Every structure is written in structure tokens, then in C-alpha cells.
Amino acid sequence: MNLTLKVWRQKSRNDAGAFESYDVKDVSSEMSFLEMIDVLNERLIAEGKDPIAFDHDCREGICGMCSMYIDGRPHGPWQANTTCQLHMRAYKDGDTITVEPWRAKAFPVIKDLVVDRTAFDRIVQAGGYISVNTGNAQDANNLLIPKDKADLSFANAACIGCGACVAACKNSSAMLFTSAKVSHLALLPQGEPERKSRALNMIAQMDKEGFGACTNTGACEAVCPKEISITNIARLNYEYQRAGLSHD
């Protein structure tokens, strides 16, 4: 296939930035989207030009690094899919593809398609963990957990923190991410000791980072590569209100 890429180029967070167009020829339908950009970057380097900067790591849909806005949708056209797992068979010969970074105040652009998502790290650091006493590990079956709660907790723990929910939200809300991190611990007995402080502290940090409010449009759930449910936002609101009424 021969394609045209319109890519957002921005030297730094203080630079204005603009779209630049590139012709990419002889693209195999079996390439992943990132492999296609790799080919383009090899050509740009050979021509003595600055390659397109983008985040990537595992390229297996696990790490959440490959955050790109492709043709107006986070991670591209496929449902429940990350950019690195998007293959070029999703496109036709002659297509024009527009690629942008996440657009959110809390995710400032570092360069080109790379954004600073450390705001998510600080939200987790505010309470997305459990305290564990040192010593021998307990027996695996020592803590009895109902299977339905264990399954739901696991589903929420699948969140990879890519930021697609923030990118899709008209308010740049991080409620889906935060609710997944709060829910997967709130559903387990190990998360009970810090349950109240966790909800209060993580939401306080989320607000401090500059993320917007949730208006329940569901755009976050629609683009989440791990299909995290917005029912978690209801649970987060419950945990927050419960903690606010009873926390010392």
C-alpha cells in the first residue's frame, strides 16, 4: 500500500507545533502501525531529518506506552486495541491517516507524539497500593475471596494506564483510570485497611493534576483498550463519599 501520513510535529512543550505530511510507500498489510512509523523514521534518518518521536515499549498491548490519536480516535479504529496491536490491514491503498498526541492539560507534549503521563504515576503514588508487613508470605488460600469479586478485581487491574480515556473525554477526565485503580483494591480484603484514605487521596491528587470532571458520556469506556467499565466510576464516587463521611 501507499499511504499519506499527517503527523503532528512539535519540538517541545513550548513549541507551537504543526502537522507535516509524509508519503509512505510499499506498506505491508501485515505491519503493525508502529512498524510502519519505524520504516518512515528509517527513511527520515537516511535523509538527515529528525525522526518522529513516539512512545513504545512492549509492543504487545501490555505497557500502555503507545498513546496516539489516530484519525480522531485514541489507538485507532479497532475496538479494544492498542496502537502497537493495530495492523495496517485496517487501511486501504491511498488512505490518508492523521496522527496526533493526546490532547490534555495534564498530559503536556514532550516532543511530537510523546506526552508526559507521569500525572497517572502520581495518582497511583497517592494511594493506589496496599501496605504489606514483612515476613513469610501467607498461604495462597489463607484469604478467602469470592470468585465474582476476584474476577472483577482482576478485570480492573487490567488497566494499563495508557491515557486513552483522558484523550477521548471532552473534559480530559481521569475518572475511569482512577476508578479502576481504586476498585481493584477496594474489592479485595487486602485493600480494606487503606480503603478510605485511598479514595480521598487519589481523587485529591487527580484534581491537583488538572484533570477535568466526569459527565458520564461514556467516551472513555468506548475507547479503552482493556474495556474497563464505567460502572467503576460509580464505585469510585461511592468510595469517596463513604470515606468523606466517616474518615477521621
Side-chain angles (χ1 to χ4, degrees):
M1 295 183 291
N2 296 327
L3 303 169
T4 300
L5 283 189
K6 292 179 63 178
V7 183
W8 183 260
R9 303 302 306 267
Q10 186 171 338
K11 292 182 179 179
S12 70
R13 66 183 64 193
N14 298 320
D15 188 70
F19 282 106
E20 292 187 13
S21 294
Y22 302 95
D23 292 326
V24 190
K25 301 184 182 299
D26 299 325
V27 175
S28 168
S29 62
E30 298 307 308
M31 283 182 178
S32 74
F33 199 87
L34 298 190
E35 287 172 338
M36 181 271 296
I37 297 181
D38 287 338
V39 170
L40 173 58
N41 276 343
E42 288 176 0
R43 192 190 85 196
L44 292 176
I45 292 170
E47 294 173 354
K49 298 177 182 177
D50 193 24
I52 299 166
F54 64 97
D55 261 336
H56 63 97
D57 193 4
C58 74
R59 301 203 179 196
E60 295 177 348
I62 298 171
C63 71
M65 296 286 286
C66 55
S67 46
M68 295 183 193
Y69 220 93
I70 304 171
D71 284 340
R73 181 183 173 91
H75 292 301
W78 287 356
Q79 191 72 18
N81 195 78
T82 54
T83 301
C84 61
Q85 295 293 288
L86 174 67
H87 283 72
M88 299 313 297
R89 57 181 174 270
Y91 299 96
K92 302 186 299 294
D93 184 43
D95 278 354
T96 297
I97 307 170
T98 303
V99 189
E100 304 172 69
W102 290 165
R103 303 290 191 181
K105 178 182 177 182
F107 289 161
V109 174
I110 297 175
K111 184 178 181 181
D112 296 340
L113 305 176
V114 182
V115 300
D116 183 352
R117 293 181 297 114
T118 54
F120 272 7
D121 296 333
R122 290 188 289 272
I123 291 174
V124 172
Q125 289 167 2
Y129 55 84
I130 60 171
S131 296
V132 179
N133 294 327
T134 58
N136 293 333
Q138 297 187 30
D139 185 82
N141 297 320
N142 191 45
L143 294 175
L144 300 179
I145 303 171
K147 187 176 187 305
D148 60 336
K149 287 193 174 182
D151 288 346
L152 187 54
S153 175
F154 182 83
N156 291 322
C159 170
I160 57 177
C162 66
C165 51
V166 175
C169 178
K170 64 180 182 180
N171 303 322
S172 297
S173 173
M175 285 288 279
L176 190 68
F177 166 79
T178 306
S179 68
K181 297 305 178 185
V182 167
S183 291
H184 95 261
L185 294 175
L187 290 162
L188 299 176
Q190 293 94 331
E192 185 63 32
E194 291 145 325
R195 186 173 179 177
K196 296 177 183 178
S197 61
R198 177 180 302 113
L200 293 173
N201 293 340
M202 292 183 74
I203 286 185
Q205 186 64 40
M206 180 184 70
D207 291 341
K208 181 179 178 182
E209 296 294 342
F211 292 104
C214 173
T215 47
N216 292 303
T217 61
C220 54
E221 181 185 58
V223 301
C224 177
K226 299 303 176 182
E227 299 185 304
I228 303 297
S229 172
I230 58 172
T231 57
N232 290 301
I233 296 177
R235 183 179 294 106
L236 175 61
N237 288 331
Y238 165 76
E239 292 289 329
Y240 182 72
Q241 292 171 15
R242 176 177 179 267
L245 290 171
S246 58
H247 190 66
D248 293 337

